[in-house]
Amino acid sequence: EDGGNEDGGNEVVTYKPGEYYKKGLAEGIVATVDESGEHGLLISIDETVAQWSTEYKMLTVMGGEFSMEDGASNCKYIREQENWEELYPAFAWCHAKNAPGLSSWYLPAIFELEYIYHNFEAINTTLKEMGETPLANGVNDSYWSSTELGVQGAYAFSFYEGEIASYDNNKLNQHPVRAVRKF
């Protein structure tokens, strides 16, 4: 199958990275798309600055490895922790974007942030056109991922370097946070 360039009566809607997306309760910027262009990842229009955690605790030991690729599963695990909304501010901010009973928005895993980086310019062009805050790419800006690194650290991604940040990954530190969701 060639992906169906002709719609043959079926309305197939495809998207490109950087496009504004609004469908039902889902509103964001298309960050990544699959080969078909019909599905991918949205990134939130807004952002915050938050701590990954308010305490040092190694969750990996209790719950198995945190995923490098699946932020939704990482966030599901965090939501199972007692007092998670107080203890994990970055996760709580992302989760607060959801309608009651849903968990579509989540803190992305480190590789999800890396995939988003490939479309950094297109995303920022749209955010700027909308008058919103673009993704930060200063020397000291790195975004939290949902992927834990150890007792004291979690992975963060630098859009300045285009790679996993090699500095300042202390869970108690404040970093920019963007939520993502699949579409």
Side-chain angles (χ1 to χ4, degrees):
E1 190 176 320
D2 68 358
N5 290 339
E6 299 180 72
D7 65 339
N10 298 329
E11 270 193 62
V12 175
V13 180
T14 59
Y15 298 92
K16 293 189 312 253
E19 287 185 330
Y20 171 75
Y21 179 102
K22 179 154 178 52
K23 196 172 189 180
L25 297 173
E27 179 182 17
I29 307 298
V30 175
T32 65
V33 292
D34 64 10
E35 304 77 38
S36 73
E38 295 175 61
H39 304 285
L41 202 61
L42 297 180
I43 190 165
S44 62
I45 293 169
D46 60 341
E47 68 178 47
T48 194
V49 174
Q51 294 173 294
W52 196 92
S53 178
T54 59
E55 66 178 10
Y56 291 133
K57 183 177 182 183
M58 180 100 172
L59 297 168
T60 324
V61 174
M62 298 181 294
E65 250 341 281
F66 265 58
S67 176
M68 300 287 279
E69 298 178 346
D70 184 3
S73 70
N74 292 343
C75 293
K76 180 180 184 296
Y77 179 68
I78 288 288
R79 290 191 311 273
E80 293 168 356
Q81 305 306 306
E82 193 173 330
N83 298 322
W84 73 272
E85 288 172 301
E86 293 81 37
L87 294 175
Y88 304 99
F91 292 84
W93 183 84
C94 294
H95 188 72
K97 297 190 149 314
N98 292 307
L102 297 179
S103 57
S104 305
W105 288 102
Y106 61 90
L107 185 64
I110 192 64
F111 289 164
E112 287 174 309
L113 285 170
E114 188 172 18
Y115 305 144
I116 289 166
Y117 172 72
H118 297 294
N119 300 311
F120 176 81
E121 292 299 330
I123 293 164
N124 272 354
T125 296
T126 303
L127 287 167
K128 289 173 188 171
E129 287 170 359
M130 295 174 68
E132 299 292 343
T133 303
L135 294 170
N137 69 339
V139 137
N140 296 315
D141 297 324
S142 55
Y143 283 79
W144 277 130
S145 80
S146 60
T147 309
E148 187 177 45
L149 182 57
V151 172
Q152 296 184 351
Y155 287 102
F157 191 88
S158 166
F159 288 112
Y160 176 78
E161 296 173 339
E163 60 189 33
I164 295 171
S166 56
Y167 57 89
D168 198 20
N169 55 17
N170 185 315
K171 291 177 181 177
L172 304 185
N173 290 346
Q174 305 261 340
H175 282 296
V177 174
R178 290 269 175 164
V180 297
R181 66 170 285 162
K182 294 176 174 75
F183 72 91

